[in-house]
Amino acid sequence: MKKTCFYFLFIFLIMACESTAQNSQIVKKLYEAFNNHNITAMAECYADSALMLDPLRGTEPVWMTRKAIFDYYSELHQQFPDVQDEVKTFIVSGDQVVVEFVASAKGEDGNKWYLPICTVFTLKNGEIVKDASYYDQ
């Protein structure tokens, strides 16, 4: 009986580690795609419909389709063609990934701006299903 319990625990731990590694890779892919301005690759990191929280959209999360996410980031990259994210902290815990980063770009006036942001991602089945970003606009 003890061997069976140990075996199941061992299998569970291996599966949890694989899931955590997969979640980490998906979010890293998202930031790499963002910095390369590859909006298609970014949108592919999300589920067909994801719950999004962004202070620009209000205080409540909203459901967005993958197409709406694509459109949102396309608009952002058109408004700020040189926008980049510099990741400062990256924490993975099961199905959640927390990323602290600084977004930067040149504004319309030519001056560079910096915006510290913290995002909590929730992933299921290899896709981002929730993206909650926090920053002071």
Side-chain angles (χ1 to χ4, degrees):
M1 182 65 165
K2 286 184 181 181
K3 285 184 180 181
T4 303
C5 288
F6 178 75
Y7 176 74
F8 284 118
L9 178 62
F10 181 71
I11 296 297
F12 175 76
L13 289 173
I14 288 174
M15 290 172 53
C17 289
E18 287 177 4
S19 175
T20 298
Q22 179 186 26
N23 292 342
S24 174
Q25 290 303 319
I26 291 164
V27 175
K28 286 180 181 178
K29 176 184 172 186
L30 176 75
Y31 280 90
E32 182 179 321
F34 181 90
N35 284 335
N36 289 326
H37 297 240
N38 185 344
I39 310 304
T40 301
M42 284 184 65
E44 290 171 354
C45 294
Y46 289 88
D48 289 335
S49 183
L51 193 58
M52 307 288 283
L53 175 66
D54 185 329
L56 286 178
R57 296 184 174 274
T59 59
E60 296 297 319
V62 296
W63 287 100
M64 291 179 69
T65 63
R66 189 178 285 149
K67 169 79 168 94
I69 293 167
F70 176 91
D71 293 344
Y72 175 79
Y73 282 107
S74 292
E75 184 180 319
L76 175 71
H77 281 86
Q78 287 174 357
Q79 186 176 1
F80 302 105
D82 65 333
V83 67
Q84 293 286 295
D85 287 344
E86 181 184 352
V87 174
K88 301 291 188 178
T89 306
F90 195 93
I91 301 168
V92 183
S93 179
D95 66 351
Q96 290 194 315
V97 179
V98 179
V99 183
E100 174 193 13
F101 61 99
V102 177
S104 64
K106 283 186 184 172
E108 292 177 0
D109 60 2
N111 292 322
K112 190 117 175 163
W113 55 260
Y114 299 89
L115 181 63
I117 303 172
C118 184
T119 300
V120 180
F121 296 98
T122 304
L123 294 95
K124 296 234 187 291
N125 301 320
E127 298 177 314
I128 299 168
V129 295
K130 184 177 179 186
D131 174 330
S133 294
Y134 302 93
Y135 58 90
D136 182 6
Q137 35 176 342

